[in-house]
């Protein structure tokens, strides 16, 4: 258990609340809700501080919408005021609790992330013959509130900090399609009332996702003594030199997860020779090379065409479009994809004078009216 001494006062500190506001508004300054909050900034932050101090704070309702990122996901956007509270909490708590996580957990952590995880997998792919990839069935929809609160209570001694975490957890909207599984010993009445699920979109959800599987991480590393293991949210990869060992580890992991009231997705459990390549967090990774995963180039080309149409119709500016392109290029350039990047970027003009179209010469540039060109990479 971590005492987190003076953490509650640090959360309530004016400078911390001001920093939380600045982080929460980053990239969204033009939204009316955020502008109104900023107009009455001193009043709003003082109101938040008083609500936390007096334990009267209650999160507001979520705005929910769907996004398609390889699969359809339901995103729950909290009101701006609640996002400020979550940033204020995580500013002080996350750096301390992060030390409790194993080095092989890569999601939503400083100096970690997708690219570091992919590079580590490739190192192991040159050392081991087989890889087992598994993930959790509807992970965020399945997380049990009672179990999660117990895990937090084992980590955090400060009751004020626990109260705020529990308040945020209790505000989670019920999943659109509840994924309730009856485990041995369950009472049907208790099962019907058991709260589950965390909202995708909350700043705290990714962190709490790491907390929920932290015990599993230690079970895999210390009890099973798996030398080559990595986890990104609920995607897990284990490597070894023989299939039997990997299947045995998988069976023991399934037994452990049943006690956590979550389970492995039956159709997303695969064991392959590393030489054939494995889809790892958006890449197809081999021992000697890294490719973009299937469909990534096609998806971005379609997106680029939509952006070009929006630019032509004056719905977007080049300044708004460039981050989309730069983000994909940053992802793509981690793989052996130089030729693919050039091919995709050469196919679309961004023009105000003519409709967006394929480039006849493959310039790989944004083209503005008056033939003014802006290089993108």
């Amino acid at each position: 258990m971590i005492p987190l001494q003076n953490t509650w006062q640090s959360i309530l500190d004016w400078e911390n609340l001001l920093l939380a506001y600045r982080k929460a508004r980053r990239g969204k300054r033009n939204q009316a809700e955020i502008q109104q909050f900023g107009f009455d900034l001193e009043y709003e932050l003082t109101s938040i501080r008083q609500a936390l101090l007096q334990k009267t704070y209650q999160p507001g309702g979520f705005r929910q919408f769907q996004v398609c990122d390889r699969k359809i996901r339901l995103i729950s956007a909290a009101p701006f005021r609640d996002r400020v509270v979550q940033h204020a909490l995580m500013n002080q708590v996350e750096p301390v609790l992060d030390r409790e996580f194993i080095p092989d957990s890569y999601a939503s952590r400083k100096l970690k992330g997708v690219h570091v995880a992919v590079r580590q997998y490739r190192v192991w792919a040159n050392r081991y013959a087989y890889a087992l990839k598994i993930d959790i069935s509807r992970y965020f929809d399945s997380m049990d509130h009672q179990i999660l609160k117990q895990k937090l209570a084992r980590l955090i001694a400060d009751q004020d900090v626990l109260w705020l975490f529990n308040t945020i957890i209790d505000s989670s909207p019920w999943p659109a399609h509840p994924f309730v599984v009856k485990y041995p010993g369950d009472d049907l009445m208790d099962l019907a009332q058991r709260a589950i699920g965390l909202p995708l979109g909350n700043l705290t959800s990714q962190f709490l996702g790491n907390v929920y599987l932290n015990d599993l991480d230690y079970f895999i590393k210390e009890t099973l003594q798996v030398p080559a293991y990595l986890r990104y949210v609920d995607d897990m990869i284990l490597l070894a030199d023989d299939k039997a060992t990997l299947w045995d580890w998988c069976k023991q992991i399934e037994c452990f997860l049943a006690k956590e009231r979550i389970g492995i997705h039956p159709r997303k459990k695969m064991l392959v020779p590393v030489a054939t390549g494995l889809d790892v967090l958006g890449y197809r990774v081999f021992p000697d090379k890294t490719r973009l995963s299937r469909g990534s180039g096609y998806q971005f080309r379609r997106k680029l065409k939509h952006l070009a149409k929006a630019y032509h119709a004056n719905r977007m500016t080049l300044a708004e479009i460039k981050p989309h392109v730069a983000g994909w290029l940053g992802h793509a350039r981690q793989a052996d994809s130089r030729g693919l990047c050039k091919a995709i970027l050469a196919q679309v003009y961004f023009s105000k004078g003519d409709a967006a179209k394929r480039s006849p010469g493959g310039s790989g540039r944004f083209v503005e009216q008056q033939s003014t060109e802006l290089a993108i990479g």
Side-chain angles (χ1 to χ4, degrees):
M1 182 179 289
I2 302 173
L4 293 176
Q5 294 178 348
N6 301 319
T7 300
W8 184 242
Q9 290 304 317
S10 298
I11 291 170
L12 300 177
D13 182 77
W14 179 262
E15 290 301 322
N16 182 58
L17 292 173
L18 190 59
L19 175 62
Y21 158 72
R22 289 169 178 160
K23 285 185 174 181
R25 74 172 181 178
R26 193 173 294 161
K28 304 180 180 69
R29 295 190 182 195
N30 293 330
Q31 294 181 7
E33 178 188 18
I34 298 175
Q35 289 180 343
Q36 182 60 44
F37 190 100
F39 182 76
D40 296 320
L41 182 59
E42 185 174 351
Y43 168 80
E44 294 287 358
L45 294 184
T46 300
S47 175
I48 286 174
R49 189 178 189 281
Q50 286 299 112
L52 294 175
L53 194 60
Q54 298 170 6
K55 302 293 192 302
T56 59
Y57 167 73
Q58 284 297 323
F62 289 87
R63 178 175 60 88
Q64 295 186 305
F65 56 93
Q66 291 184 334
V67 298
C68 185
D69 177 19
R70 290 184 287 179
K71 63 180 180 181
I72 295 176
R73 302 177 189 272
L74 180 66
I75 304 299
S76 299
F80 183 72
R81 178 174 182 265
D82 296 333
R83 282 177 267 162
V84 172
V85 171
Q86 292 178 35
H87 275 286
L89 172 62
M90 298 311 297
N91 284 347
Q92 302 301 320
V93 172
E94 187 170 18
V96 180
L97 291 187
D98 186 79
R99 303 169 197 162
E100 296 297 301
F101 301 147
I102 67 169
D104 300 306
S105 171
Y106 288 90
S108 303
R109 301 179 65 191
K110 289 184 178 180
L111 305 180
K112 298 288 184 179
V114 168
H115 300 148
V116 179
V118 169
R119 288 195 292 270
Q120 181 58 66
Y121 170 79
R122 188 164 163 183
V123 169
W124 283 332
N126 278 280
R127 192 178 305 171
Y128 297 96
Y130 298 98
L132 171 68
K133 181 181 178 183
I134 54 181
D135 73 8
I136 308 297
S137 295
R138 296 179 58 179
Y139 179 48
F140 283 95
D141 284 348
S142 304
M143 272 189 269
D144 185 279
H145 289 192
Q146 180 180 335
I147 293 175
L148 177 57
K149 290 177 182 179
Q150 290 170 352
K151 290 176 181 291
L152 284 170
R154 292 200 303 268
L155 289 172
I156 301 171
D158 190 311
Q159 293 303 305
D160 293 320
V161 176
L162 279 177
W163 167 81
L164 183 51
F165 266 121
N166 291 343
T167 299
I168 293 171
I169 293 168
D170 290 339
S171 74
S172 301
W174 190 255
H177 304 287
F179 189 65
V180 181
V181 177
K182 186 176 184 295
Y183 292 94
D186 278 350
D187 176 86
L188 290 178
M189 184 64 70
D190 177 66
L191 186 64
Q193 298 175 349
R194 184 177 283 270
I196 60 171
L198 293 182
L200 281 174
N202 256 13
L203 174 69
T204 52
S205 292
Q206 291 280 10
F207 172 77
L208 293 173
N210 281 338
V211 170
Y212 204 95
L213 288 179
N214 193 42
D215 291 335
L216 173 67
D217 290 338
Y218 279 100
F219 173 75
I220 290 174
K221 295 298 293 183
E222 295 180 355
T223 303
L224 299 184
Q225 296 187 338
V226 179
Y229 163 73
L230 66 86
R231 177 174 67 81
Y232 191 93
V233 192
D234 63 321
D235 289 333
M236 292 168 275
I237 300 175
L238 299 82
L239 296 94
D241 283 324
D242 65 280
K243 297 179 181 180
T245 297
L246 287 168
W247 284 127
D248 179 62
W249 286 340
C250 183
K251 183 177 180 180
Q252 293 190 63
I253 289 171
E254 287 183 293
C255 292
F256 184 93
L257 289 176
K259 301 173 186 176
E260 307 281 75
R261 304 188 67 83
I262 52 179
I264 294 174
H265 196 301
R267 295 194 302 274
K268 295 182 180 179
K269 178 170 56 176
M270 64 179 71
L271 194 158
V272 299
V274 296
T276 64
L278 182 69
D279 287 330
V280 182
L281 304 174
Y283 299 91
R284 185 77 178 175
V285 186
F286 301 81
D288 59 341
K289 60 189 174 186
T290 302
R291 303 289 192 192
L292 285 175
S293 62
R294 298 184 183 96
S296 178
Y298 294 110
Q299 291 171 4
F300 180 68
R301 185 171 61 183
R302 286 196 297 269
K303 181 176 181 178
L304 199 61
K305 289 180 179 179
H306 288 309
L307 292 172
K309 290 179 181 178
Y311 177 69
H312 177 71
N314 291 317
R315 296 195 305 270
M316 296 185 75
T317 66
L318 287 177
E320 294 171 323
I321 291 169
K322 280 189 173 182
H324 293 277
V325 178
W328 186 80
L329 284 177
H331 171 76
R333 285 170 175 167
Q334 298 295 319
D336 305 311
S337 60
R338 183 176 180 84
L340 177 63
C341 291
K342 285 187 174 181
I344 292 174
L345 295 174
Q347 292 178 10
V348 179
Y349 274 141
F350 281 71
S351 173
K352 293 259 180 103
D354 299 301
K357 58 186 178 181
R358 290 182 182 274
S359 165
S363 66
R365 296 170 182 259
F366 285 139
V367 181
E368 285 191 290
Q369 197 173 13
Q370 308 299 328
S371 299
T372 301
E373 296 183 349
L374 297 176
I376 61 174

